[in-house]
Amino acid sequence: MLYYAQARRMMVDCQLRTFDVNDNAVLDAFDSVPREAFVPKNQESFAYIDQPLRLGSAGSDLRVTPAPMVLGRMIQALKIQPGVAALDVGTGYGYASVLMAQLGATVTAIESIPELVAAAKERLAGKAKVIEGPLRAGAAGDGPFDAILVNGRVETRPQTLLDQLKDDGRLVCVFGPDRGAKVTVFVRAGNAFGSRPLFDASLPALADFAQEASFAF
């Protein structure tokens, strides 16, 4: 336990703070949530490396938990305050969900891979509502949301999710083709949606948001 506590402190100081994560509440959440509890068994010793960690897959649909410094910047960009409603899309084992709950959000987590749904329910009992379903559909029945986090790369505009935002709500995802993807924040203003790229990042594409192949002649 002491090893993991020290590893968390190193993660916060050497990965998050050095990558412009400067919100004290976000830093405290990362320092208090045991990341090793949200990875597959026998992978706990890798929980604090500065790389994405594979959680599971269904065919070509791969789930990872983003590297801490990337996830930290993504959650910081959501500007979560106590009492907000948040949606965690592609929750995997639920790590991002528990971080947002630690920040005071009421969290709904959605996952489409059954074994990951079971893993998330086990870990998030009492901390977030976990539902199983297609990621692209979101969770309209639990919305609208102040904050939506997508754990994976989105190749097409996630309009159904955007429509589940409240006015002034924010959606953060890794958006774009693999080599040109950037963490992007979308903000709703009435029926309009603005977007702003924040920094380059790479995550596996989520099948629900994959760009359809086109043919060249």
Side-chain angles (χ1 to χ4, degrees):
M1 295 299 292
L2 179 60
Y3 164 79
Y4 289 128
Q6 292 172 336
R8 275 196 301 282
R9 172 50 53 184
M10 289 288 291
M11 175 187 71
V12 169
D13 290 341
C14 299
Q15 297 181 45
L16 302 183
R17 292 184 187 275
T18 61
F19 198 57
D20 295 329
V21 180
N22 48 35
D23 185 299
N24 286 331
V26 174
L27 294 170
D28 288 346
F30 273 84
D31 193 35
S32 63
V33 173
R35 186 175 167 92
E36 70 275 7
F38 295 88
V39 301
K41 290 184 179 179
N42 302 319
Q43 298 296 313
E44 292 89 350
S45 60
F46 299 103
Y48 295 96
I49 63 174
D50 58 349
Q51 296 179 23
L53 292 175
R54 179 178 178 136
L55 302 175
S57 63
S60 61
D61 198 14
L62 175 64
R63 294 287 184 278
V64 302
T65 185
M69 61 184 186
V70 172
L71 185 59
R73 287 280 297 275
M74 293 175 77
I75 290 177
Q76 180 173 263
L78 288 171
K79 298 186 177 181
I80 291 173
Q81 298 295 322
V84 306
L87 176 65
D88 186 24
V89 180
T91 191
Y93 277 31
Y95 181 58
S97 288
V98 78
L99 288 168
M100 291 192 288
Q102 190 76 11
L103 290 168
T106 299
V107 183
T108 300
I110 184 168
E111 180 54 70
S112 60
I113 300 176
E115 57 266 32
L116 295 182
V117 173
K121 286 182 176 179
E122 178 183 352
R123 289 162 175 79
L124 292 175
K127 299 181 178 70
K129 176 182 178 180
V130 181
I131 60 176
E132 180 175 351
L135 304 187
R136 64 182 173 275
D142 293 283
F145 299 99
D146 301 279
I148 298 177
L149 177 72
V150 184
N151 291 275
R153 184 163 53 85
V154 174
E155 294 182 334
T156 59
R157 184 181 176 92
Q159 190 61 50
T160 300
L161 297 182
L162 291 171
D163 289 339
Q164 294 175 26
L165 285 173
K166 294 180 182 178
D167 199 22
D168 293 328
R170 290 175 165 241
L171 180 149
V172 175
C173 64
V174 176
F175 183 64
D178 189 17
R179 295 187 178 182
K182 297 179 182 294
V183 168
T184 300
V185 56
F186 293 84
V187 181
R188 181 167 193 168
N191 292 322
F193 300 90
S195 65
R196 180 167 60 94
L198 301 181
F199 59 94
D200 295 339
S202 179
L203 285 175
L206 296 170
D208 270 15
F209 304 101
Q211 180 72 51
E212 293 185 8
S214 59
F215 293 93
F217 295 93

